[in-house]
Amino acid sequence: MRVKGRVHEEELDLLLVMGFKEFLILFLGMSTSVVGASQVTCPNQTMAAVEGDNNVTLTMEVDPSVDLMKGRVDVKRDDLKNVTVHSFRHGRDHLDIQSPQYKNRTTFFCYLKGKRVVGVILSNVTLNDGGLYSFYVPGLGAPCTINLTVAAKTEGPAKDAGDPENFPPWAIALVCVIPLLVAAGVLLCCWRSGRFKNCGGSGADQDIEMEPTSTTGGEGVVQNGYAPVSAQD
């Protein structure tokens, strides 16, 4: 009877220990998820950019009580394997592990505005930059993930070669100057030939008036005609 009693006691102790472990695991899991949900938020889970844009800013917000100067923030591409966009550790950039495609194209920032805003500015955007970006902060639960889409840059409609807007400035100036030079040359030639000397004057160049006359020609036959009458002096 004593043996059976001891067996029952050992089984009871084992059940109590297992139950406590399960409760502890469940409690810790719930605590972690609550802390992560309350301390990390993504203000913009989707972002759009165009190929060639100077900058695109990816941000997350954390609780003001979190001191990132003593911790670390890793920004990674979840859709690519082993691609680190930017790493910030213990108050300074840690770029030794940064992927080559992001070299000299990222700027990390952190400031306090109600919540603590953390972000990365990505410059000279390319089509290959489109994808999933996640901010990882140890101890804050689930990361903040942002889906960035990059559209191809579209060119404007082709301009007609005959469009005046496509002419270079020197060609437009030449087209305007040539007619003026031609007109000046014609006026100079007329002046040298003397065509402008008697314009509007009197004398030989004055208009001659014609009067009808009758003439007798031959054997007394009258012929009608016009004889010039010179202007009186």
Side-chain angles (χ1 to χ4, degrees):
M1 295 294 294
R2 292 181 179 178
V3 174
K4 291 183 179 180
R6 290 179 181 178
V7 172
H8 288 302
E9 289 179 359
E10 291 177 356
E11 290 179 352
L12 182 61
D13 291 340
L14 181 61
L15 290 174
L16 290 174
V17 171
M18 293 178 62
F20 177 75
K21 286 183 177 181
E22 291 179 358
F23 171 77
L24 183 62
I25 292 174
L26 179 61
F27 175 78
L28 291 177
M30 291 177 62
S31 299
T32 301
S33 61
V34 171
V35 171
S38 62
Q39 290 187 334
V40 177
T41 57
C42 290
N44 297 303
Q45 295 184 349
T46 58
M47 294 286 295
V50 178
E51 179 187 11
D53 282 353
N54 292 332
N55 296 312
V56 60
T57 303
L58 309 175
T59 61
M60 77 167 181
E61 296 177 352
V62 299
D63 192 270
S65 61
V66 178
D67 187 2
L68 296 177
M69 294 295 124
K70 297 180 181 179
R72 79 181 195 190
V73 180
D74 291 327
V75 184
K76 297 184 178 182
R77 283 282 298 272
D78 280 355
D79 56 323
L80 300 177
K81 186 177 181 181
N82 297 326
V83 174
T84 298
V85 179
H86 198 101
S87 182
F88 183 84
R89 300 183 181 182
H90 307 294
R92 65 180 59 186
D93 293 325
H94 185 72
L95 303 180
D96 294 340
I97 61 174
Q98 187 180 41
S99 299
Q101 70 189 78
Y102 291 102
K103 289 289 184 182
N104 302 319
R105 294 204 301 128
T106 59
T107 303
F108 182 85
F109 65 88
C110 178
Y111 61 88
L112 189 62
K113 187 179 180 181
K115 288 189 174 182
R116 194 176 301 278
V117 181
V118 182
V120 167
I121 300 174
L122 178 62
S123 60
N124 300 324
V125 180
T126 68
L127 290 175
N128 293 329
D129 292 333
L132 296 176
Y133 292 76
S134 291
F135 289 79
Y136 290 92
V137 181
L140 297 186
C144 169
T145 301
I146 302 171
N147 182 19
L148 174 64
T149 58
V150 180
K153 185 177 181 179
T154 57
E155 300 292 340
K159 294 185 177 180
D160 186 4
D163 191 343
E165 293 182 358
N166 296 329
F167 291 166
W170 62 266
I172 298 176
L174 190 61
V175 170
C176 296
V177 170
I178 287 179
L180 296 177
L181 294 177
V182 172
V186 171
L187 293 175
L188 181 61
C189 291
C190 292
W191 181 77
R192 286 186 175 181
S193 63
R195 294 184 180 182
F196 298 141
K197 291 181 180 180
N198 299 314
C199 289
S202 60
D205 294 330
Q206 204 169 15
D207 291 339
I208 298 176
E209 184 179 355
M210 306 296 291
E211 283 186 2
T213 59
S214 297
T215 60
T216 303
E219 298 177 354
V221 178
V222 179
Q223 297 179 351
N224 294 327
Y226 288 89
V229 178
S230 299
Q232 294 180 354
D233 293 335

